[in-house]
Amino acid sequence: MDKLLLSHIHVAILAALLLLTHGKGFIESSSSSSSSCCHLNDTVTGCIAHERSALVGFKAGLLDPANLLSSWKGDDCCKWKGVYCSSRNNHVVKLDLPGHGCDHNDDTMTQVLGGNISSSLLGLQQLKYLNLSCNGFDGVQIPKFIGSLHKLRYIDLSMSMFTGRIPPQLGNLSSLRYLNLASNTYSNGITWLSRLTSLEHLDLTFVDLSTVVHWLPVMNMLPSLKVLYLRNCFLRTSSGLLQLSNLTSLERLDLSANNFRTYITPNWF
């Protein structure tokens, strides 16, 4: 009888030890799973490091006499003036840095950015919006590398004193919807425009297109074009060319201050 009692006690102790060991393992396993779960669900906060470095490099090449970029300090570049990040993944998607050079006011004419546009901007491969209008990049050419920022949908470089050739690499931006290069000093062809088949707004006001004879066939390659400003572009054309147009989406057109020395058929567009 005593032996049987001892046997039952022995079994009970072994069962208790087994339950204790299993419970401990379960708690550790649950703790580990919980930790893994929470780590995976952590949301990204703040600026992405390599994109911050790209912006710092961009700023280093600029002249900023009015200290317009005084907020560009600290780790979180998403809080810097003119820098906008995606709420989903914190990539920099918008760079909105217009100067005051379009105000035609002596008090604000110095409140512009100048200098050089650094290729460090290539670190912003998710960039969709770029506005550097009304600044003072006197004598600087539009960088070719902008044509490698393939996510760009909006570019405004108007009235910023760019000069030289418009880089044909801009024709690589197949997602571009808005392009404003007005009031800068350029001199070259525009055949690269025909590759921007998603373009809806094009402003080349005061851009010298005097060497471009067949400009309308290029525009005809832009089926989505709604707004076309070619004011004072020194345009010329051959007789009858303006009778051919496929700009069926066009809503706004400005061809004023050009010297077409030919009869233009009414409502040709």
Side-chain angles (χ1 to χ4, degrees):
M1 185 70 177
D2 291 339
K3 290 183 178 181
L4 182 60
L5 180 60
L6 289 172
S7 177
H8 283 301
I9 293 171
H10 181 66
V11 170
I13 291 172
L14 287 176
L17 288 172
L18 182 61
L19 286 172
L20 180 62
T21 303
H22 178 74
K24 182 181 179 182
F26 176 78
I27 291 171
E28 290 176 348
S29 175
S30 298
S31 176
S32 176
S33 298
S34 175
S35 176
S36 298
C37 171
C38 294
H39 178 72
L40 289 173
N41 289 331
D42 280 346
T43 56
V44 178
T45 58
C47 185
I48 295 175
H50 78 268
E51 294 188 346
R52 181 187 182 280
S53 297
L55 290 169
V56 170
F58 168 64
K59 180 184 178 183
L62 296 175
L63 298 175
D64 183 12
N67 207 20
L68 299 176
L69 304 183
S70 59
S71 68
W72 284 36
K73 53 189 176 184
D75 293 332
D76 191 357
C77 65
C78 296
K79 296 180 179 179
W80 295 355
K81 177 184 178 181
V83 179
Y84 298 84
C85 298
S86 166
S87 59
R88 182 173 59 86
N89 54 30
N90 272 29
H91 280 294
V92 175
V93 294
K94 180 176 179 178
L95 197 55
D96 191 20
L97 296 172
H100 295 277
C102 300
D103 297 346
H104 304 294
N105 185 324
D106 291 339
D107 294 333
T108 60
M109 288 301 288
T110 58
Q111 297 182 27
V112 296
L113 299 174
N116 294 303
I117 300 177
S118 170
S119 60
S120 67
L121 284 184
L122 284 172
L124 306 180
Q125 282 298 314
Q126 302 302 313
L127 194 66
K128 296 180 180 180
Y129 182 109
L130 177 63
N131 182 5
L132 296 176
S133 63
C134 301
N135 281 297
F137 296 100
D138 190 12
V140 174
Q141 294 192 29
I142 296 176
K144 297 177 182 179
F145 70 76
I146 290 180
S148 297
L149 295 171
H150 298 293
K151 295 290 183 71
L152 278 172
R153 296 166 61 95
Y154 181 107
I155 297 178
D156 189 349
L157 303 178
S158 62
M159 299 186 71
S160 285
M161 304 177 69
F162 288 105
T163 189
R165 294 173 56 84
I166 304 174
Q169 289 81 358
L170 294 184
N172 298 331
L173 302 175
S174 58
S175 297
L176 203 62
R177 302 287 191 274
Y178 182 104
L179 179 61
N180 189 347
L181 303 178
S183 299
N184 291 293
T185 306
Y186 311 118
S187 178
N188 65 301
I190 57 172
T191 55
W192 54 271
L193 276 170
S194 63
R195 307 204 304 273
L196 302 179
T197 54
S198 298
L199 199 63
E200 298 178 359
H201 182 115
L202 175 62
D203 191 345
L204 297 177
T205 298
F206 283 100
V207 174
D208 184 358
L209 300 178
S210 59
T211 61
V212 180
V213 178
H214 302 295
W215 56 271
L216 186 56
V218 174
M219 302 304 164
N220 277 340
M221 298 295 289
L222 307 176
S224 302
L225 200 62
K226 296 180 180 179
V227 178
L228 177 59
Y229 295 142
L230 296 175
R231 182 174 183 269
N232 210 335
C233 290
F234 307 98
L235 288 173
R236 56 195 181 95
T237 186
S238 57
S239 177
L241 179 62
L242 294 182
Q243 297 177 16
L244 305 172
S245 174
N246 295 322
L247 300 176
T248 55
S249 299
L250 204 62
E251 298 174 1
R252 297 183 184 180
L253 174 67
D254 187 351
L255 296 175
S256 61
N258 288 292
N259 294 313
F260 289 122
R261 302 183 181 177
T262 185
Y263 176 74
I264 298 179
T265 303
N267 299 324
W268 64 270
F269 53 86

